Amino acid sequence: MKFLSCLIFLTLALSGCAQPVQEDVLKGAYLGQKLPGTEPVLFAPGIVSTGMNERDLTVSPAMDEIYFSVRYKTRFAIAVSKIKNGVWTKPEVAPFSGEHNDIEPYIQPDGKKMYFVSKRPVTPGEKNKFEYNMWVMDKTDSDWGKPKPVEEPINGFGSVFYPSITKTGTLYFTRRFEDNSEYIFRSRLVNGKYTEPEKLPDNVNTTKSQFNTFISPDEDFLIIPVWGRKDTKGSSDYFVSFRDKNDNWSDLINLGDKINTKFDEYTPSLSPDGKYFFFQRKVISEDSSKAVKYSDIVKTYNSPENSNSDIYWVDAKVIRDLNPIKK
């Protein structure tokens, strides 16, 4: 009987080992996530928003690639998830990233180029004159081409950040100066070359610190993280300025309590179709009065909303509804 019991146990054990553990299969748009309404929710918890420090999300126009930045020790790497055979891959460090401090990926509206910002040497073996520069890659049949530094007059005049581009090719970005002030610029694309950047007006550049600005593909509104305004909800907030057909910009409008918190917010973007607003923010869950266990600590630091940055999304209607410009 003892031998028979052991035989049954061994058979069951082998049978269990023969059946692999089923993992979640991610299918459908946006990593198979339920689409948000007008209340912000975490984007892809446990996949993109994990408890690590994440920021800067961009989605390809075909909606089959998602890139975002994730912190590793003292630097960032750009991660990617792609649809292969109808299924989203687990995020991995993108082939062009991982060696240097890389942030702020952005795929332009036609999908032909990807931009990002990096501390990597512009000239191999030489120290950069300015710490951060803008890089660009062309789309190939299989993936993305070799990163190349964007030419002057974009690079070469201070550190530059957060590229975003309209359907007509106009590049919006911010430039940081020696006194650490940072302002929003734009550069028109003429005959395949970027023109001399122009600084946006004072009712858009309202302090000495606006950064990581994102232009809508139709160039009808600009999402702006700003530090130092009196109407802030906290340290830095997301604001929006709307542009009319005569290239006039509205005064900044705070995106409100649903989006902004008392903590830092600084990396906005839109889905390729403009329907959804992605944004980074820090949330610290309320502490409880009960005695903490070690397992509670581990669970917290392996979960979103633990004081590191997470990525949220919401219906972009919450932005467009603020538009004061009559159409």
Side-chain angles (χ1 to χ4, degrees), residues 98-119:
E99 182 179 356
H100 305 281
N101 190 352
D102 300 325
I103 52 175
E104 302 171 359
Y106 174 76
I107 302 174
Q108 69 182 34
D110 64 7
K112 294 182 178 180
K113 294 181 184 292
M114 183 194 292
Y115 292 77
F116 65 97
V117 171
S118 180
K119 284 186 176 181

Side-chain angles (χ1 to χ4, degrees), residues 10-21:
L10 180 61
T11 302
L12 290 173
L14 290 174
S15 175
C17 290
Q19 298 188 12
V21 175

Side-chain angles (χ1 to χ4, degrees), residues 40-326:
V41 294
L42 278 166
F43 178 68
I47 305 164
V48 172
S49 297
T50 63
M52 296 187 290
N53 197 330
E54 304 102 0
R55 48 173 288 181
D56 315 324
L57 186 138
T58 188
V59 183
S60 66
M63 298 192 188
D64 58 356
E65 298 181 47
I66 291 176
Y67 293 84
F68 60 97
S69 305
V70 60
R71 189 176 185 89
Y72 172 73
K73 295 184 178 180
T74 59
R75 56 190 168 97
F76 279 84
I78 295 173
V80 59
S81 177
K82 299 183 179 184
I83 291 180
K84 290 186 177 180
N85 300 319
V87 176
W88 287 96
T89 61
K90 290 182 177 180
E92 296 286 352
V93 173
F96 61 87
S97 189
E99 182 179 356
H100 305 281
N101 190 352
D102 300 325
I103 52 175
E104 302 171 359
Y106 174 76
I107 302 174
Q108 69 182 34
D110 64 7
K112 294 182 178 180
K113 294 181 184 292
M114 183 194 292
Y115 292 77
F116 65 97
V117 171
S118 180
K119 284 186 176 181
R120 64 183 63 197
V122 172
T123 302
E126 295 185 12
K127 185 178 179 180
N128 287 340
K129 181 179 180 181
F130 301 105
E131 191 174 30
Y132 285 97
N133 291 277
M134 195 182 300
W135 294 72
V136 63
M137 301 176 291
D138 294 318
K139 186 67 175 175
T140 68
D141 291 338
S142 59
D143 202 356
W144 294 97
K146 184 178 179 181
K148 300 174 292 185
V150 175
E151 296 179 351
E152 294 184 4
I154 307 304
N155 286 335
F157 301 93
S159 287
V160 291
F161 299 94
Y162 223 75
S164 64
I165 297 175
T166 70
K167 290 178 180 177
T168 59
T170 300
L171 170 66
Y172 283 71
F173 64 99
T174 59
R175 176 169 284 158
R176 183 180 295 166
F177 295 89
E178 290 184 0
D179 62 356
N180 281 327
S181 63
E182 193 166 334
Y183 299 100
I184 305 165
F185 288 79
R186 71 178 174 188
S187 174
R188 305 289 188 189
L189 187 66
V190 178
N191 297 323
K193 297 287 185 180
Y194 287 117
T195 58
E196 184 66 30
E198 59 175 311
K199 184 181 175 183
L200 266 62
D202 289 346
N203 69 324
V204 176
N205 282 302
T206 61
T207 75
K208 290 186 176 182
S209 187
Q210 28 287 301
F211 43 92
N212 297 353
T213 186
F214 188 94
I215 189 65
S216 63
D218 292 325
E219 205 173 2
D220 55 347
F221 64 86
L222 189 66
I223 308 169
I224 310 166
V226 187
W227 187 88
R229 285 179 61 98
K230 292 182 179 179
D231 55 349
T232 180
K233 304 295 180 183
S235 179
S236 61
D237 278 0
Y238 295 111
F239 291 79
V240 62
S241 176
F242 293 92
R243 176 178 173 268
D244 68 17
K245 61 182 180 180
N246 297 315
D247 198 33
N248 298 310
W249 296 91
S250 73
D251 291 343
L252 299 194
I253 302 169
N254 192 298
L255 291 190
D257 293 337
K258 287 185 178 181
I259 306 298
N260 292 313
T261 69
K262 61 183 179 180
F263 304 107
D264 287 335
E265 289 92 22
Y266 49 81
T267 65
S269 64
L270 293 171
S271 60
D273 56 12
K275 291 182 179 180
Y276 304 105
F277 171 41
F278 294 93
F279 61 98
Q280 162 278 339
R281 72 179 177 192
K282 295 180 179 180
V283 172
I284 301 176
S285 299
E286 291 296 326
D287 196 2
S288 65
S289 58
K290 70 175 184 179
V292 68
K293 299 178 181 177
Y294 189 79
S295 59
D296 296 328
I297 298 173
V298 173
K299 182 179 179 181
T300 296
Y301 281 93
N302 285 283
S303 303
E305 300 183 340
N306 63 8
S307 80
N308 281 330
S309 296
D310 298 306
I311 296 174
Y312 291 74
W313 64 331
V314 68
D315 192 317
K317 182 177 184 293
V318 300
I319 297 174
R320 292 188 172 89
D321 283 351
L322 297 173
N323 192 349
I325 299 172
K326 301 294 184 181

